[in-house]
């Protein structure tokens, strides 16, 4: 089993849709959790940290479920510019990414 | 530009040759990481430094790979006797001690023919 697993997608959604990604991790002692965004042929960039109590940044909401060992990212009111690959990171270990395509 | 810089951006080499990449982190960042990324995969951890000390290496890292950070500033990653399977994007990231956020460079794309 991989240490950090994500559904590769792609998720193909219309503008304005709400989309959610999950990411599972195997190390129950994990302490740091992040979501990064990576555009095609670019470096990853931090989207948001994930806190135990959950956190929100505009249209983006991240949550952590320690009991089930997963983190989630919810994107509301999707924009065309949200099209990218979303990488979850647990203790500096990256998942393989989930690709999101937002269509007009 | 005060971000993480990597050089070269692209490298094409023949199998069996040695290559060296350079990473200049953000100046006040103590930690420096090397990752490798292939198409359709997330970045794979290779090694990291805190100042000049190499604190961790991936057990998947071949002996052909070596990294240095001699003065605790820039770092180099050398691959000896390159193989076609080494073709990938090599990403460097830096981090300020006590924080979690990684700042990535634009990467070096290696193609081994």
């Amino acid at each position: 089993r991989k240490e950090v697993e994500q559904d590769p997608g792609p998720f193909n959604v219309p503008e304005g849709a709400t989309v959610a990604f999950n990411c599972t991790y195997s190390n129950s002692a994990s302490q740091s959790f992040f979501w990064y965004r990576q555009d095609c042929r670019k470096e990853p960039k931090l989207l948001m940290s994930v806190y135990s109590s959950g956190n929100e940044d505009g249209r983006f909401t991240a949550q952590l479920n320690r009991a089930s060992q997963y983190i989630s990212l919810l994107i509301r009111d999707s924009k065309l510019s949200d099209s990218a690959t979303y990488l979850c990171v647990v203790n500096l270990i990256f998942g393989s990414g989930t690709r999101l395509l937002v269509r007009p | 530009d005060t971000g993480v810089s990597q050089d070269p951006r692209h490298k094409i080499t023949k199998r069996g040759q040695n290559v060296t990449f350079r990473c200049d982190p953000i100046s006040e960042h103590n930690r420096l990481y090397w990752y490798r990324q292939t198409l359709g995969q997330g970045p794979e951890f290779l090694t990291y430094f805190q100042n000049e000390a190499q604190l961790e290496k991936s057990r998947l890292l071949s002996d052909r790979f070596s990294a240095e950070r001699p003065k605790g500033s820039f770092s180099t990653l050398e691959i000896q006797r390159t193989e076609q399977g080494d073709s990938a994007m090599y990403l460097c990231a830096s981090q300020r001690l006590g924080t979690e956020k990684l700042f990535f460079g634009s990467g070096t794309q290696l193609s081994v023919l």
Side-chain angles (χ1 to χ4, degrees):
Chain A
R1 181 185 172 190
K2 286 186 179 179
E3 291 186 71
V4 179
E5 290 198 76
Q6 296 182 250
D7 181 340
F11 284 63
N12 192 322
V13 302
E15 266 188 295
T18 295
V19 62
F21 309 134
N22 279 346
C23 168
T24 59
Y25 60 93
S26 59
N27 182 356
S28 59
S30 297
Q31 294 296 321
S32 72
F33 307 89
F34 298 90
W35 284 101
Y36 277 71
R37 171 194 167 126
Q38 187 171 29
D39 293 293
C40 189
R41 300 184 187 280
K42 299 284 190 181
E43 72 274 19
K45 292 186 177 176
L46 180 67
L47 180 64
M48 59 196 303
S49 305
V50 187
Y51 302 120
S52 296
S53 54
N55 48 297
E56 189 174 305
D57 182 3
R59 298 182 293 108
F60 298 84
T61 300
Q63 296 208 312
L64 166 63
N65 185 316
R66 286 192 183 274
S68 301
Q69 294 181 210
Y70 74 85
I71 63 173
S72 64
L73 177 68
L74 182 78
I75 305 175
R76 289 181 298 277
D77 188 23
S78 301
K79 311 292 184 191
L80 295 177
S81 58
D82 292 335
S83 297
T85 296
Y86 291 83
L87 299 158
C88 72
V89 187
V90 178
N91 285 5
L92 298 175
I93 298 171
F94 282 77
S96 55
T98 297
R99 192 165 167 220
L100 172 65
L101 301 171
V102 181
R103 63 181 187 270
Chain B
D1 184 352
T2 56
V4 178
S5 64
Q6 291 188 245
D7 184 68
R9 291 293 303 274
H10 305 275
K11 178 71 177 177
I12 300 174
T13 192
K14 291 183 179 179
R15 191 174 51 187
Q17 298 294 305
N18 299 345
V19 294
T20 300
F21 311 140
R22 177 179 170 128
C23 172
D24 287 88
I26 294 170
S27 60
E28 63 268 24
H29 286 190
N30 310 85
R31 287 188 172 172
L32 185 149
Y33 298 79
W34 285 100
Y35 284 84
R36 174 173 62 192
Q37 187 174 25
T38 54
L39 200 62
Q41 299 298 314
E44 174 192 18
F45 170 79
L46 296 179
T47 188
Y48 93 94
F49 293 83
Q50 183 165 307
N51 300 314
E52 65 275 10
Q54 188 173 18
L55 296 188
E56 190 173 341
K57 284 175 65 171
S58 168
R59 61 180 178 272
L60 301 174
L61 200 60
S62 159
D63 289 344
R64 298 182 296 105
F65 287 69
S66 62
E68 294 183 344
R69 195 182 182 198
K71 297 181 180 178
S73 56
F74 74 91
S75 175
T76 57
L77 177 69
E78 181 182 18
I79 309 174
Q80 296 181 325
R81 303 181 303 282
T82 52
E83 301 173 357
Q84 287 184 323
D86 296 331
S87 296
M89 174 73 81
Y90 289 83
L91 292 162
C92 175
S94 71
Q95 181 187 52
R96 187 197 304 267
L97 193 62
T99 68
E100 300 280 359
K101 183 177 177 180
L102 293 175
F103 292 80
F104 281 88
S106 300
T108 295
Q109 181 67 52
L110 173 66
S111 298
V112 181
L113 305 179

PDB file of all heavy atoms in Angstrom, chain A residues 5-33:
ATOM      1  N   GLU A   5      -2.223   8.049  -0.863  1.00  0.00           N
ATOM      2  CA  GLU A   5      -2.943   7.644  -2.069  1.00  0.00           C
ATOM      3  C   GLU A   5      -4.027   8.630  -2.448  1.00  0.00           C
ATOM      4  O   GLU A   5      -4.752   9.125  -1.574  1.00  0.00           O
ATOM      5  CB  GLU A   5      -3.565   6.257  -1.870  1.00  0.00           C
ATOM      6  CG  GLU A   5      -2.548   5.136  -1.820  1.00  0.00           C
ATOM      7  CD  GLU A   5      -3.147   3.773  -2.063  1.00  0.00           C
ATOM      8  OE1 GLU A   5      -3.445   3.450  -3.225  1.00  0.00           O
ATOM      9  OE2 GLU A   5      -3.305   3.029  -1.079  1.00  0.00           O
ATOM     10  N   GLN A   6      -4.121   8.876  -3.742  1.00  0.00           N
ATOM     11  CA  GLN A   6      -5.171   9.745  -4.270  1.00  0.00           C
ATOM     12  C   GLN A   6      -5.791   9.099  -5.496  1.00  0.00           C
ATOM     13  O   GLN A   6      -5.130   8.369  -6.236  1.00  0.00           O
ATOM     14  CB  GLN A   6      -4.585  11.092  -4.733  1.00  0.00           C
ATOM     15  CG  GLN A   6      -3.979  11.928  -3.657  1.00  0.00           C
ATOM     16  CD  GLN A   6      -3.486  13.252  -4.211  1.00  0.00           C
ATOM     17  OE1 GLN A   6      -2.296  13.510  -4.293  1.00  0.00           O
ATOM     18  NE2 GLN A   6      -4.442  14.115  -4.592  1.00  0.00           N
ATOM     19  N   ASP A   7      -7.036   9.428  -5.736  1.00  0.00           N
ATOM     20  CA  ASP A   7      -7.704   9.049  -6.980  1.00  0.00           C
ATOM     21  C   ASP A   7      -7.113   9.919  -8.087  1.00  0.00           C
ATOM     22  O   ASP A   7      -7.139  11.130  -7.980  1.00  0.00           O
ATOM     23  CB  ASP A   7      -9.218   9.311  -6.845  1.00  0.00           C
ATOM     24  CG  ASP A   7      -9.992   8.918  -8.088  1.00  0.00           C
ATOM     25  OD1 ASP A   7      -9.382   8.799  -9.178  1.00  0.00           O
ATOM     26  OD2 ASP A   7     -11.210   8.740  -7.973  1.00  0.00           O
ATOM     27  N   PRO A   8      -6.555   9.315  -9.139  1.00  0.00           N
ATOM     28  CA  PRO A   8      -5.891  10.129 -10.161  1.00  0.00           C
ATOM     29  C   PRO A   8      -6.830  10.977 -11.010  1.00  0.00           C
ATOM     30  O   PRO A   8      -6.397  11.936 -11.647  1.00  0.00           O
ATOM     31  CB  PRO A   8      -5.172   9.089 -11.019  1.00  0.00           C
ATOM     32  CG  PRO A   8      -5.935   7.828 -10.812  1.00  0.00           C
ATOM     33  CD  PRO A   8      -6.444   7.879  -9.400  1.00  0.00           C
ATOM     34  N   GLY A   9      -8.140  10.616 -11.013  1.00  0.00           N
ATOM     35  CA  GLY A   9      -9.073  11.351 -11.863  1.00  0.00           C
ATOM     36  C   GLY A   9      -8.899  10.941 -13.320  1.00  0.00           C
ATOM     37  O   GLY A   9      -8.481   9.817 -13.589  1.00  0.00           O
ATOM     38  N   PRO A  10      -9.172  11.813 -14.312  1.00  0.00           N
ATOM     39  CA  PRO A  10      -9.525  13.211 -14.066  1.00  0.00           C
ATOM     40  C   PRO A  10     -10.976  13.400 -13.627  1.00  0.00           C
ATOM     41  O   PRO A  10     -11.828  12.597 -13.957  1.00  0.00           O
ATOM     42  CB  PRO A  10      -9.280  13.871 -15.416  1.00  0.00           C
ATOM     43  CG  PRO A  10      -9.517  12.782 -16.407  1.00  0.00           C
ATOM     44  CD  PRO A  10      -9.067  11.509 -15.749  1.00  0.00           C
ATOM     45  N   PHE A  11     -11.190  14.431 -12.864  1.00  0.00           N
ATOM     46  CA  PHE A  11     -12.526  14.889 -12.533  1.00  0.00           C
ATOM     47  C   PHE A  11     -12.857  15.975 -13.562  1.00  0.00           C
ATOM     48  O   PHE A  11     -12.154  16.970 -13.655  1.00  0.00           O
ATOM     49  CB  PHE A  11     -12.569  15.489 -11.118  1.00  0.00           C
ATOM     50  CG  PHE A  11     -12.541  14.461 -10.025  1.00  0.00           C
ATOM     51  CD1 PHE A  11     -11.464  13.623  -9.857  1.00  0.00           C
ATOM     52  CD2 PHE A  11     -13.605  14.346  -9.141  1.00  0.00           C
ATOM     53  CE1 PHE A  11     -11.436  12.670  -8.844  1.00  0.00           C
ATOM     54  CE2 PHE A  11     -13.588  13.412  -8.119  1.00  0.00           C
ATOM     55  CZ  PHE A  11     -12.498  12.570  -7.979  1.00  0.00           C
ATOM     56  N   ASN A  12     -13.907  15.743 -14.311  1.00  0.00           N
ATOM     57  CA  ASN A  12     -14.319  16.668 -15.361  1.00  0.00           C
ATOM     58  C   ASN A  12     -15.637  17.290 -14.924  1.00  0.00           C
ATOM     59  O   ASN A  12     -16.655  16.597 -14.889  1.00  0.00           O
ATOM     60  CB  ASN A  12     -14.460  15.904 -16.679  1.00  0.00           C
ATOM     61  CG  ASN A  12     -14.603  16.840 -17.866  1.00  0.00           C
ATOM     62  OD1 ASN A  12     -15.251  17.881 -17.772  1.00  0.00           O
ATOM     63  ND2 ASN A  12     -14.034  16.457 -18.977  1.00  0.00           N
ATOM     64  N   VAL A  13     -15.638  18.568 -14.573  1.00  0.00           N
ATOM     65  CA  VAL A  13     -16.833  19.191 -14.011  1.00  0.00           C
ATOM     66  C   VAL A  13     -17.135  20.497 -14.736  1.00  0.00           C
ATOM     67  O   VAL A  13     -16.233  21.134 -15.290  1.00  0.00           O
ATOM     68  CB  VAL A  13     -16.662  19.481 -12.497  1.00  0.00           C
ATOM     69  CG1 VAL A  13     -16.344  18.189 -11.739  1.00  0.00           C
ATOM     70  CG2 VAL A  13     -15.600  20.521 -12.243  1.00  0.00           C
ATOM     71  N   PRO A  14     -18.406  20.925 -14.745  1.00  0.00           N
ATOM     72  CA  PRO A  14     -18.743  22.214 -15.358  1.00  0.00           C
ATOM     73  C   PRO A  14     -18.409  23.356 -14.405  1.00  0.00           C
ATOM     74  O   PRO A  14     -18.340  23.177 -13.185  1.00  0.00           O
ATOM     75  CB  PRO A  14     -20.246  22.105 -15.574  1.00  0.00           C
ATOM     76  CG  PRO A  14     -20.709  21.185 -14.502  1.00  0.00           C
ATOM     77  CD  PRO A  14     -19.587  20.201 -14.276  1.00  0.00           C
ATOM     78  N   GLU A  15     -18.211  24.518 -14.986  1.00  0.00           N
ATOM     79  CA  GLU A  15     -18.018  25.719 -14.156  1.00  0.00           C
ATOM     80  C   GLU A  15     -19.149  25.840 -13.156  1.00  0.00           C
ATOM     81  O   GLU A  15     -20.309  25.582 -13.483  1.00  0.00           O
ATOM     82  CB  GLU A  15     -18.065  26.967 -15.053  1.00  0.00           C
ATOM     83  CG  GLU A  15     -16.737  27.444 -15.528  1.00  0.00           C
ATOM     84  CD  GLU A  15     -16.854  28.784 -16.247  1.00  0.00           C
ATOM     85  OE1 GLU A  15     -17.506  28.824 -17.313  1.00  0.00           O
ATOM     86  OE2 GLU A  15     -16.305  29.760 -15.734  1.00  0.00           O
ATOM     87  N   GLY A  16     -18.803  26.242 -11.956  1.00  0.00           N
ATOM     88  CA  GLY A  16     -19.812  26.446 -10.924  1.00  0.00           C
ATOM     89  C   GLY A  16     -20.078  25.212 -10.075  1.00  0.00           C
ATOM     90  O   GLY A  16     -20.728  25.309  -9.035  1.00  0.00           O
ATOM     91  N   ALA A  17     -19.571  24.081 -10.489  1.00  0.00           N
ATOM     92  CA  ALA A  17     -19.806  22.844  -9.737  1.00  0.00           C
ATOM     93  C   ALA A  17     -18.980  22.819  -8.462  1.00  0.00           C
ATOM     94  O   ALA A  17     -17.996  23.542  -8.315  1.00  0.00           O
ATOM     95  CB  ALA A  17     -19.447  21.641 -10.600  1.00  0.00           C
ATOM     96  N   THR A  18     -19.410  21.967  -7.559  1.00  0.00           N
ATOM     97  CA  THR A  18     -18.638  21.683  -6.350  1.00  0.00           C
ATOM     98  C   THR A  18     -17.974  20.321  -6.536  1.00  0.00           C
ATOM     99  O   THR A  18     -18.605  19.370  -6.994  1.00  0.00           O
ATOM    100  CB  THR A  18     -19.551  21.651  -5.115  1.00  0.00           C
ATOM    101  OG1 THR A  18     -20.098  22.955  -4.904  1.00  0.00           O
ATOM    102  CG2 THR A  18     -18.771  21.230  -3.875  1.00  0.00           C
ATOM    103  N   VAL A  19     -16.706  20.246  -6.211  1.00  0.00           N
ATOM    104  CA  VAL A  19     -15.971  18.989  -6.395  1.00  0.00           C
ATOM    105  C   VAL A  19     -15.147  18.713  -5.143  1.00  0.00           C
ATOM    106  O   VAL A  19     -14.686  19.648  -4.478  1.00  0.00           O
ATOM    107  CB  VAL A  19     -15.080  19.066  -7.658  1.00  0.00           C
ATOM    108  CG1 VAL A  19     -14.031  20.154  -7.542  1.00  0.00           C
ATOM    109  CG2 VAL A  19     -14.447  17.726  -7.958  1.00  0.00           C
ATOM    110  N   ALA A  20     -15.019  17.441  -4.812  1.00  0.00           N
ATOM    111  CA  ALA A  20     -14.279  17.062  -3.609  1.00  0.00           C
ATOM    112  C   ALA A  20     -13.273  15.970  -3.939  1.00  0.00           C
ATOM    113  O   ALA A  20     -13.568  15.049  -4.708  1.00  0.00           O
ATOM    114  CB  ALA A  20     -15.242  16.575  -2.525  1.00  0.00           C
ATOM    115  N   PHE A  21     -12.096  16.100  -3.353  1.00  0.00           N
ATOM    116  CA  PHE A  21     -11.039  15.092  -3.498  1.00  0.00           C
ATOM    117  C   PHE A  21     -10.706  14.538  -2.134  1.00  0.00           C
ATOM    118  O   PHE A  21     -10.666  15.280  -1.147  1.00  0.00           O
ATOM    119  CB  PHE A  21      -9.747  15.716  -4.061  1.00  0.00           C
ATOM    120  CG  PHE A  21      -9.928  16.533  -5.291  1.00  0.00           C
ATOM    121  CD1 PHE A  21      -9.316  17.770  -5.398  1.00  0.00           C
ATOM    122  CD2 PHE A  21     -10.693  16.092  -6.347  1.00  0.00           C
ATOM    123  CE1 PHE A  21      -9.461  18.544  -6.529  1.00  0.00           C
ATOM    124  CE2 PHE A  21     -10.850  16.859  -7.491  1.00  0.00           C
ATOM    125  CZ  PHE A  21     -10.234  18.096  -7.577  1.00  0.00           C
ATOM    126  N   ASN A  22     -10.405  13.255  -2.102  1.00  0.00           N
ATOM    127  CA  ASN A  22      -9.919  12.639  -0.874  1.00  0.00           C
ATOM    128  C   ASN A  22      -8.501  12.134  -1.063  1.00  0.00           C
ATOM    129  O   ASN A  22      -8.065  11.857  -2.186  1.00  0.00           O
ATOM    130  CB  ASN A  22     -10.811  11.455  -0.484  1.00  0.00           C
ATOM    131  CG  ASN A  22     -12.071  11.913   0.219  1.00  0.00           C
ATOM    132  OD1 ASN A  22     -12.181  13.046   0.650  1.00  0.00           O
ATOM    133  ND2 ASN A  22     -13.034  11.009   0.306  1.00  0.00           N
ATOM    134  N   CYS A  23      -7.833  11.991   0.053  1.00  0.00           N
ATOM    135  CA  CYS A  23      -6.464  11.491   0.042  1.00  0.00           C
ATOM    136  C   CYS A  23      -6.285  10.661   1.311  1.00  0.00           C
ATOM    137  O   CYS A  23      -6.562  11.151   2.411  1.00  0.00           O
ATOM    138  CB  CYS A  23      -5.501  12.675   0.026  1.00  0.00           C
ATOM    139  SG  CYS A  23      -3.791  12.272   0.338  1.00  0.00           S
ATOM    140  N   THR A  24      -5.877   9.412   1.165  1.00  0.00           N
ATOM    141  CA  THR A  24      -5.688   8.563   2.341  1.00  0.00           C
ATOM    142  C   THR A  24      -4.200   8.398   2.630  1.00  0.00           C
ATOM    143  O   THR A  24      -3.369   8.468   1.719  1.00  0.00           O
ATOM    144  CB  THR A  24      -6.311   7.174   2.127  1.00  0.00           C
ATOM    145  OG1 THR A  24      -5.709   6.561   0.982  1.00  0.00           O
ATOM    146  CG2 THR A  24      -7.806   7.281   1.922  1.00  0.00           C
ATOM    147  N   TYR A  25      -3.877   8.206   3.883  1.00  0.00           N
ATOM    148  CA  TYR A  25      -2.482   8.030   4.275  1.00  0.00           C
ATOM    149  C   TYR A  25      -2.367   6.845   5.216  1.00  0.00           C
ATOM    150  O   TYR A  25      -3.313   6.488   5.927  1.00  0.00           O
ATOM    151  CB  TYR A  25      -1.920   9.310   4.905  1.00  0.00           C
ATOM    152  CG  TYR A  25      -2.629   9.782   6.147  1.00  0.00           C
ATOM    153  CD1 TYR A  25      -2.194   9.416   7.414  1.00  0.00           C
ATOM    154  CD2 TYR A  25      -3.741  10.623   6.056  1.00  0.00           C
ATOM    155  CE1 TYR A  25      -2.840   9.855   8.555  1.00  0.00           C
ATOM    156  CE2 TYR A  25      -4.395  11.064   7.187  1.00  0.00           C
ATOM    157  CZ  TYR A  25      -3.948  10.685   8.432  1.00  0.00           C
ATOM    158  OH  TYR A  25      -4.592  11.118   9.568  1.00  0.00           O
ATOM    159  N   SER A  26      -1.194   6.220   5.239  1.00  0.00           N
ATOM    160  CA  SER A  26      -1.040   4.969   5.975  1.00  0.00           C
ATOM    161  C   SER A  26      -0.422   5.147   7.362  1.00  0.00           C
ATOM    162  O   SER A  26      -0.628   4.301   8.239  1.00  0.00           O
ATOM    163  CB  SER A  26      -0.180   3.987   5.160  1.00  0.00           C
ATOM    164  OG  SER A  26       1.091   4.545   4.911  1.00  0.00           O
ATOM    165  N   ASN A  27       0.336   6.224   7.564  1.00  0.00           N
ATOM    166  CA  ASN A  27       1.035   6.410   8.837  1.00  0.00           C
ATOM    167  C   ASN A  27       0.138   7.158   9.824  1.00  0.00           C
ATOM    168  O   ASN A  27      -0.075   8.366   9.688  1.00  0.00           O
ATOM    169  CB  ASN A  27       2.336   7.188   8.599  1.00  0.00           C
ATOM    170  CG  ASN A  27       3.151   7.382   9.871  1.00  0.00           C
ATOM    171  OD1 ASN A  27       2.718   7.004  10.966  1.00  0.00           O
ATOM    172  ND2 ASN A  27       4.319   7.965   9.737  1.00  0.00           N
ATOM    173  N   SER A  28      -0.356   6.435  10.809  1.00  0.00           N
ATOM    174  CA  SER A  28      -1.296   7.042  11.748  1.00  0.00           C
ATOM    175  C   SER A  28      -0.649   8.128  12.607  1.00  0.00           C
ATOM    176  O   SER A  28      -1.341   8.933  13.216  1.00  0.00           O
ATOM    177  CB  SER A  28      -1.890   5.962  12.658  1.00  0.00           C
ATOM    178  OG  SER A  28      -0.860   5.303  13.381  1.00  0.00           O
ATOM    179  N   ALA A  29       0.679   8.153  12.645  1.00  0.00           N
ATOM    180  CA  ALA A  29       1.380   9.157  13.456  1.00  0.00           C
ATOM    181  C   ALA A  29       1.670  10.437  12.667  1.00  0.00           C
ATOM    182  O   ALA A  29       2.344  11.327  13.170  1.00  0.00           O
ATOM    183  CB  ALA A  29       2.683   8.568  13.987  1.00  0.00           C
ATOM    184  N   SER A  30       1.158  10.537  11.464  1.00  0.00           N
ATOM    185  CA  SER A  30       1.424  11.705  10.613  1.00  0.00           C
ATOM    186  C   SER A  30       0.975  12.983  11.299  1.00  0.00           C
ATOM    187  O   SER A  30      -0.064  13.015  11.962  1.00  0.00           O
ATOM    188  CB  SER A  30       0.720  11.556   9.268  1.00  0.00           C
ATOM    189  OG  SER A  30       1.218  10.443   8.564  1.00  0.00           O
ATOM    190  N   GLN A  31       1.768  14.052  11.088  1.00  0.00           N
ATOM    191  CA  GLN A  31       1.500  15.304  11.780  1.00  0.00           C
ATOM    192  C   GLN A  31       1.253  16.491  10.860  1.00  0.00           C
ATOM    193  O   GLN A  31       0.665  17.480  11.286  1.00  0.00           O
ATOM    194  CB  GLN A  31       2.694  15.638  12.692  1.00  0.00           C
ATOM    195  CG  GLN A  31       2.887  14.654  13.841  1.00  0.00           C
ATOM    196  CD  GLN A  31       1.716  14.660  14.797  1.00  0.00           C
ATOM    197  OE1 GLN A  31       1.144  15.701  15.097  1.00  0.00           O
ATOM    198  NE2 GLN A  31       1.329  13.483  15.250  1.00  0.00           N
ATOM    199  N   SER A  32       1.759  16.438   9.646  1.00  0.00           N
ATOM    200  CA  SER A  32       1.591  17.609   8.782  1.00  0.00           C
ATOM    201  C   SER A  32       0.869  17.216   7.496  1.00  0.00           C
ATOM    202  O   SER A  32       1.148  16.175   6.910  1.00  0.00           O
ATOM    203  CB  SER A  32       2.940  18.260   8.465  1.00  0.00           C
ATOM    204  OG  SER A  32       3.700  17.481   7.590  1.00  0.00           O
ATOM    205  N   PHE A  33      -0.065  18.083   7.110  1.00  0.00           N
ATOM    206  CA  PHE A  33      -0.946  17.785   5.988  1.00  0.00           C
ATOM    207  C   PHE A  33      -1.145  19.050   5.155  1.00  0.00           C
ATOM    208  O   PHE A  33      -1.423  20.121   5.705  1.00  0.00           O
ATOM    209  CB  PHE A  33      -2.317  17.309   6.507  1.00  0.00           C
ATOM    210  CG  PHE A  33      -2.247  16.183   7.487  1.00  0.00           C
ATOM    211  CD1 PHE A  33      -2.134  16.438   8.851  1.00  0.00           C
ATOM    212  CD2 PHE A  33      -2.281  14.862   7.058  1.00  0.00           C
ATOM    213  CE1 PHE A  33      -2.060  15.409   9.775  1.00  0.00           C
ATOM    214  CE2 PHE A  33      -2.208  13.822   7.968  1.00  0.00           C
ATOM    215  CZ  PHE A  33      -2.096  14.085   9.327  1.00  0.00           C
TER     216      PHE A  33
END
